[in-house]
Amino acid sequence: MATSSEVSAAEIRPASLWRLTWRRLLRQRSAQVGGLILLLLVLTAIFAPVIAPYDPLEVLIGKEDVRKREAPCIHLLGCPPDKPQHIMGIDGNFRDVFSRVIYGTRVSLFVGFTTVTFAIIAGTLLGAISGYAGGWVDNVIMRLMDVLMAFPSLLLAIAIVAVLGRGLQNALLAIAIVSTPVYARVVRASVLSLKEREFVQASRALGAGHAHILLRRILPNALPPLIVQATLGVATAILDAAALSFLGLGAQPPTPEWGTMLGTERNQVFTAPHLVFFPGLAIMITVLAFNLLGDGLRDALDPRLKQ
Amino acid sequence: MSRRIALLWAVLAVVAALALALAGCGGKAEQAPATEAPKAETQAPAQETAAPQAEATEAATEEAQGFEPLSVTAECKDNKIKAIEALDEYTVRFTMCEPDPAFMAKIAFTPFFIYPQEWIEANANEENKETLLSHPIGAGPYMIESWNRGDSIIFKRFDDYWAGPAKTETLVFRWATEGAQRLLELQAGTVDYITKLSPDDYETVKNDPNLQFLPVPNPNIFYIGITNTFEPWNDVRVRKALAMGIDRERIVKNFYPEGSEVADFFTPCSIPNGCVGEPWYDFDPDAANALLDEAGLPRGEDGIRFRTKIYYRDVFRVYLPEPGLVAVEIQTQLRDNLGIEAEVVVMESGEFIAQSTAGKLDGLYLLGWGADYLHVTNFLDFHFSRNNPQFGEPYPEIYEPLEQASTIADPEKARPYYEQANNAIRELVPMIPVAHGAAADAARADVQNAKAAVLGPPDLQTFVPGDRDTLVYMKAAEPISLYCADETDGESLDACKMVGEGLYRYNADGEAVPALAEKCEANEDSTVFTCYLRQGLKFHDGSTVDANDVVRTWDALLNAASPYHVGNTGAFEYADYLFGLMNKPEE
């Protein structure tokens, strides 16, 4: 009897939060599209050397009969077969734009994930301590976060890069720093509401330590809003990194980075539009993917939508 | 009480009036010695002690009373000219502090154009500054009719121009900042000639039968600067390896507009003695790598010998039209040809110039130079003199022959010294000359005689715009002022060239040719220049051009102590840079 009752209990056990979320996410059209694009982008980044026909730094002077800033040549669309195929054209330094855009995916995803990971770790730590400890600790940390949030994020990132020096690494650090306050506030808000809940009180009554309560009881329950914020944050981070590179403060030549590619050829928007169109399109698609996925996640994780 | 206050006010008013009167007298008393004291040393001191107003009156009646020659002198300090004297009505003598073989080339430059003595004396002051800056009287091919600020300047033909009246009666200057807009106006037929054609529009213009493509063979140099006070650039073998390891032809062919040339010398060949001596090294990466091995810089496991930086500013110049692309190309060549990993560093323009010319950049830097006048001293002496730190420790092997050459007027006699200097540059590699960039203008196909000039604007007075009686010339920006004695703005200098005329002027090939002067003769060591004016020439106001006009113009331009030394900014930068201001106050 005991065995059959255990089985039936397992059968009737309600689905976990994550399983429910996953099911709801799969029903979201925007999340489906966003996730699919993201999957393709990740695959592109992983298999870039296989997909890209050229090395992104390879200068084709003397190797192929190409002109500077030559328009795309696609054999299927009528480009003469004797001409080498460059589906996104040639850039000002005689490099294949398609290969650079493909490799640019690596840089952009790396930038997005790295900065958001850093910002989540720092923000969660600060927000959790702040919300859990309360009092003057909360005051000091949150006022510091308020100061960071008082500046427009890109302007602050530019200021940080100006101090640290230009380059991709410093740009990543700058973006991570300016993103941190958002995560700190989200986590703090969750911690504040959770720490007074019954299950936390119960843990405390049973003699659990602060670290145990914070790490095992509170933070796991504070994750859903953080995940949504992180997904949307990746998009913002990619945009910020592209903006810094466009301004010449982020990735430096010859790194194939979409913002740098846009910035270098910004004056050719009328004479060689393909040089700004494709990197711009790549940025747009990536940011769109993260935004769609973030929206879907938000809806999926919202308990009010639970059916 | 009130009466006492009124009395006090009255006393104060009288004191103030007296103070003003004294200050006025004091001002005059101070002005007079500043300009007249030097003249006391000249041949005609009696006439020079008169007040400026009296001079003007005398000048107006000089024909009746006989010619009273003016002069201006100064002690030799930072200035190159110590005396400018009118010897007679049509002869002026310039006495130099040191030999200056480039004198004729310099005086043809627009800031040294001649204005009537009376006009300067009447307008070169703060009260009439507006007239001075906007309505100059010159002896050029066109007179100013109106300046419609923000829109256009209209010129009318000067029929008494010494070289014959201009072909077109009306000349209109217009401007548009964007290259695309200038081309659109030309294609629409609303303008006849545009400057600074964007390299991306070259093909459009060439393929349009209604337009003519006009290359501008502007003398300039783009070079890769190396500062020899930083490692590893202090080793001449490393510098030489760089000179052999960079494919300059590939850079010029792929990143410069048509008409640009690979530079084998620092100075362009169009300038006499510019390219004498051994031409630059051929591209030879094997020899370059051998030199780097010999210098103790072997390749590491990653194939890299050492790391450095390439500094540049992201600013369009004719000598470097696409700085970002060229920087990346050099970065690629250094890595592929020599195993040198270079980081590309963009700097703010002003900071870049300040740092590079002070010799403070530890890597390579991309810089260039455009000719102010066509003389080899404008290129070599400026960059390689003993006082210039831009390539680190100056090289005596280069500056010593240059100093000797600068005292010789005859180009043939100076040639061996320039040959020696060029060979030393090749041997010591303070920089790598890369390219002489080309620019282009464009005109409507029916504009006859259209030809871009080497220096400054084209000879618009010779153009015939089809059957139209107005020639419309479009530039990139509006002039700042039309009194170019105190202007450095290129747009202003171009407009001034229509109105003014110098003792010499540059022809379309950039050579300095006699204009108001029939000729200028140098003494043997180029320390005294005597200029003989053409007789019977007229200014736009009908007055005759004579030697006193020349002296007064140069007095206003070069003599810092002159009451007429008034201009747009008061800096008189070109005059100071090319000749050094006379009687400069002690700092």
Side-chain angles (χ1 to χ4, degrees):
Chain A
M1 275 305 281
T3 312
S4 71
S5 75
E6 277 173 16
V7 170
S8 63
E11 279 171 355
I12 58 164
R13 193 172 60 187
S16 74
L17 171 72
W18 300 114
R19 190 171 297 176
L20 276 173
T21 305
W22 179 246
R23 277 194 207 147
R24 280 204 294 267
L25 191 66
L26 288 181
R27 283 201 295 270
Q28 297 280 341
R29 184 56 59 83
S30 69
Q32 287 170 6
V33 176
L36 185 69
I37 299 173
L38 190 61
L39 182 72
L40 287 175
L41 286 170
V42 172
L43 289 176
T44 306
I46 293 169
F47 297 106
V50 181
I51 301 168
Y54 297 86
D55 183 301
L57 307 186
E58 187 180 1
V59 175
L60 298 172
I61 298 173
K63 294 176 184 166
E64 283 184 7
D65 180 23
V66 287
R67 283 185 295 112
K68 188 168 68 170
R69 300 192 179 113
E70 192 165 331
C73 167
I74 304 167
H75 291 156
L76 278 174
L77 297 180
C79 179
D82 55 328
K83 275 188 77 73
Q85 177 161 269
H86 295 282
I87 60 174
M88 291 184 185
I90 295 291
D91 76 359
N93 278 98
F94 294 82
R95 296 171 298 203
D96 180 54
V97 176
F98 177 61
S99 304
R100 291 179 67 73
V101 169
I102 293 294
Y103 273 89
T105 316
R106 280 185 168 185
V107 181
S108 286
L109 291 186
F110 172 73
V111 166
F113 289 128
T114 318
T115 50
V116 168
T117 307
F118 178 94
I120 284 179
I121 293 171
T124 305
L125 206 64
L126 290 168
I129 293 171
S130 181
Y132 191 76
W136 67 268
V137 177
D138 182 28
N139 245 333
V140 169
I141 294 175
M142 291 325 289
R143 290 308 75 76
L144 195 69
M145 294 298 110
D146 286 347
V147 169
L148 283 179
M149 288 189 90
F151 294 97
S153 65
L154 191 60
L155 200 65
L156 188 59
I158 290 171
I160 294 170
V161 172
V163 174
L164 298 176
R166 58 185 80 210
L168 190 60
Q169 274 187 359
N170 292 340
L172 291 183
L173 191 61
I175 296 165
I177 291 171
V178 301
S179 313
T180 301
V182 179
Y183 299 100
R185 287 181 82 99
V186 168
V187 171
R188 176 179 173 271
S190 300
V191 171
L192 278 179
S193 73
L194 288 168
K195 75 175 184 181
E196 303 303 333
R197 299 276 285 273
E198 289 83 356
F199 67 93
V200 177
Q201 301 284 8
S203 274
R204 194 170 290 144
L206 287 170
H210 292 310
H212 179 86
I213 293 172
L214 196 59
L215 296 175
R216 303 294 298 274
R217 297 284 170 262
I218 297 178
L219 280 184
N221 288 292
L223 276 180
L226 198 63
I227 290 170
V228 175
Q229 186 60 47
T231 317
L232 295 169
V234 174
T236 315
I238 290 173
L239 267 185
D240 282 355
L244 284 179
S245 299
F246 179 86
L247 295 172
L249 300 171
Q252 296 297 305
T255 313
E257 203 274 341
W258 297 334
T260 312
M261 291 164 76
L262 271 178
T264 309
E265 302 289 0
R266 64 188 181 278
N267 292 330
Q268 311 305 326
V269 67
F270 294 118
T271 51
H274 60 282
L275 297 181
V276 286
F277 176 76
F278 291 114
L281 190 69
I283 294 173
M284 194 205 80
I285 289 174
T286 311
V287 171
L288 184 73
F290 279 104
N291 280 341
L292 288 175
L293 189 66
D295 281 350
L297 266 174
R298 189 183 53 206
D299 292 347
L301 285 165
D302 191 342
R304 282 168 297 184
L305 295 177
K306 193 173 179 180
Q307 290 173 347
Chain B
M1 187 68 184
S2 60
R3 282 185 63 186
R4 279 186 187 173
I5 292 170
L7 192 66
L8 185 65
W9 277 116
V11 171
L12 279 174
V14 171
V15 170
L18 279 171
L20 281 173
L22 281 170
C25 295
K28 275 185 186 174
E30 277 169 14
Q31 273 181 5
T35 47
E36 308 309 338
K39 291 170 188 168
E41 299 165 21
T42 63
Q43 294 170 342
Q47 292 84 5
E48 299 313 318
T49 49
Q53 289 87 344
E55 282 182 36
T57 318
E58 283 169 12
T61 55
E62 66 191 16
E63 280 186 31
Q65 295 178 1
F67 183 74
E68 296 169 358
L70 294 177
S71 67
V72 54
T73 59
E75 279 179 44
C76 289
K77 288 179 185 164
D78 293 334
N79 47 309
K80 290 184 177 168
I81 297 181
K82 68 177 173 191
I84 305 162
E85 302 150 287
L87 300 183
D88 62 44
E89 209 173 342
Y90 297 109
T91 313
V92 187
R93 185 170 66 198
F94 296 82
T95 311
M96 318 301 287
C97 292
E98 56 191 63
D100 188 356
F103 179 79
M104 258 79 96
K106 289 181 192 174
I107 64 168
F109 195 21
T110 311
F112 304 101
F113 280 7
I114 307 300
Y115 301 96
Q117 176 192 357
E118 298 81 0
W119 181 80
I120 288 179
E121 288 167 359
N123 296 298
N125 51 56
E126 290 301 327
E127 294 80 53
N128 295 323
K129 201 168 167 182
E130 178 53 31
T131 310
L132 180 81
L133 301 185
S134 61
H135 275 85
I137 301 291
Y142 281 100
M143 304 184 285
I144 299 165
E145 184 172 270
S146 63
W147 182 353
N148 311 309
R149 304 271 175 172
D151 180 65
S152 59
I153 302 176
I154 297 169
F155 301 92
K156 283 286 174 198
R157 176 165 60 199
F158 175 47
D159 290 327
D160 289 331
Y161 181 53
W162 68 273
K167 304 275 188 202
T168 314
E169 190 183 342
T170 308
L171 169 67
V172 178
F173 263 45
R174 289 182 52 208
W175 42 86
T177 319
E178 296 300 320
Q181 191 190 341
R182 290 197 293 278
L183 182 60
L184 274 176
E185 295 251 17
L186 188 70
Q187 286 169 326
T190 49
V191 302
D192 295 298
Y193 190 105
I194 60 169
T195 60
K196 294 185 181 142
L197 189 64
S198 165
D200 299 316
D201 294 329
Y202 282 17
E203 285 306 310
T204 312
V205 172
K206 283 180 188 171
N207 295 332
D208 190 335
N210 297 317
L211 304 179
Q212 18 181 345
F213 177 80
L214 304 163
V216 184
N218 186 269
N220 60 60
I221 176 74
F222 160 57
Y223 61 85
I224 303 170
I226 310 168
T227 313
N228 67 9
T229 40
F230 295 100
E231 282 188 352
W233 312 117
N234 51 353
D235 188 336
V236 69
R237 288 171 297 186
V238 181
R239 301 198 300 270
K240 221 180 250 187
L242 214 62
M244 294 176 184
I246 291 178
D247 188 349
R248 296 167 303 129
E249 193 173 341
R250 173 168 138 158
I251 296 172
V252 175
K253 191 176 161 195
N254 294 299
F255 300 97
Y256 276 78
E258 192 184 308
S260 306
E261 291 172 0
V262 177
D264 275 333
F265 296 86
F266 189 79
T267 316
C269 290
S270 56
I271 294 174
N273 284 334
C275 49
V276 291
E278 286 281 308
W280 202 251
Y281 303 94
D282 287 332
F283 173 54
D284 187 351
D286 294 336
N289 278 301
L291 272 171
L292 289 173
D293 289 337
E294 194 187 312
L297 295 165
R299 283 180 190 265
E301 283 179 6
D302 54 357
I304 300 303
R305 293 177 188 278
F306 64 91
R307 288 169 209 282
T308 187
K309 289 176 177 166
I310 300 170
Y311 297 95
Y312 73 100
R313 56 175 174 165
D314 199 8
V315 174
F316 171 92
R317 287 286 180 272
V318 172
Y319 58 71
L320 186 54
E322 299 191 287
L325 298 188
V326 171
V328 171
E329 168 64 12
I330 291 170
Q331 181 188 45
T332 308
Q333 288 204 26
L334 287 178
R335 190 186 59 227
D336 295 351
N337 301 345
L338 302 172
I340 299 171
E341 187 73 48
E343 183 191 341
V344 166
V345 183
V346 194
M347 292 177 73
E348 189 276 322
S349 181
E351 181 68 7
F352 171 74
I353 293 295
Q355 296 276 324
S356 59
T357 53
K360 290 181 179 169
L361 295 179
D362 55 2
L364 307 170
Y365 60 90
L366 312 186
L367 193 53
W369 181 257
D372 295 314
Y373 56 94
L374 296 189
H375 196 278
V376 67
T377 53
N378 187 229
F379 280 80
L380 293 185
D381 293 40
F382 182 85
H383 289 89
F384 302 103
S385 72
R386 66 167 73 221
N387 299 320
N388 190 341
Q390 86 166 92
F391 303 117
E393 281 295 318
Y395 301 89
E397 297 90 334
I398 304 173
Y399 67 69
E400 280 170 2
L402 289 180
E403 285 172 357
Q404 285 173 299
S406 71
T407 61
I408 302 167
D410 183 356
E412 272 310 307
K413 285 183 184 161
R415 184 187 166 101
Y417 295 105
Y418 287 119
E419 213 170 293
Q420 200 181 329
N422 277 337
N423 288 344
I425 290 171
R426 183 182 185 273
E427 202 52 43
L428 297 165
V429 195
M431 53 83 229
I432 298 162
V434 179
H436 302 303
D441 293 349
R444 288 174 69 179
D446 64 353
V447 177
Q448 294 167 34
N449 306 327
K451 185 185 176 191
V454 174
L455 295 174
D459 286 336
L460 296 174
Q461 69 274 16
T462 63
F463 288 13
V464 182
D467 53 1
R468 302 176 292 281
D469 59 1
T470 301
L471 177 73
V472 185
Y473 175 75
M474 181 166 255
K475 292 185 56 64
E478 182 169 8
I480 296 169
S481 91
L482 297 178
Y483 180 59
C484 285
D486 186 21
E487 271 306 339
T488 52
D489 167 54
E491 314 298 339
S492 302
L493 293 170
D494 281 9
C496 289
K497 202 175 167 188
M498 298 300 112
V499 182
E501 191 70 301
L503 293 171
Y504 273 52
R505 66 154 37 215
Y506 300 123
N507 65 12
D509 297 324
E511 296 158 354
V513 292
L516 296 183
E518 217 160 24
K519 61 177 177 181
C520 285
E521 286 176 348
N523 68 349
E524 202 162 297
D525 63 353
S526 297
T527 52
V528 177
F529 294 86
T530 310
C531 296
Y532 304 95
L533 302 183
R534 293 176 202 272
Q535 296 192 12
L537 299 188
K538 301 272 187 202
F539 285 111
H540 297 164
D541 62 358
S543 60
T544 309
V545 180
D546 67 25
N548 276 351
D549 297 316
V550 178
V551 177
R552 181 56 81 218
T553 298
W554 278 75
D555 171 47
L557 172 72
L558 212 58
N559 181 10
S562 167
Y564 310 116
H565 190 64
V566 175
N568 186 26
T569 65
F572 291 84
E573 281 182 49
Y574 270 124
D576 197 14
Y577 154 54
L578 294 173
F579 288 111
L581 294 182
M582 302 164 80
N583 300 313
K584 226 186 213 177
E586 296 287 336
E587 284 181 8

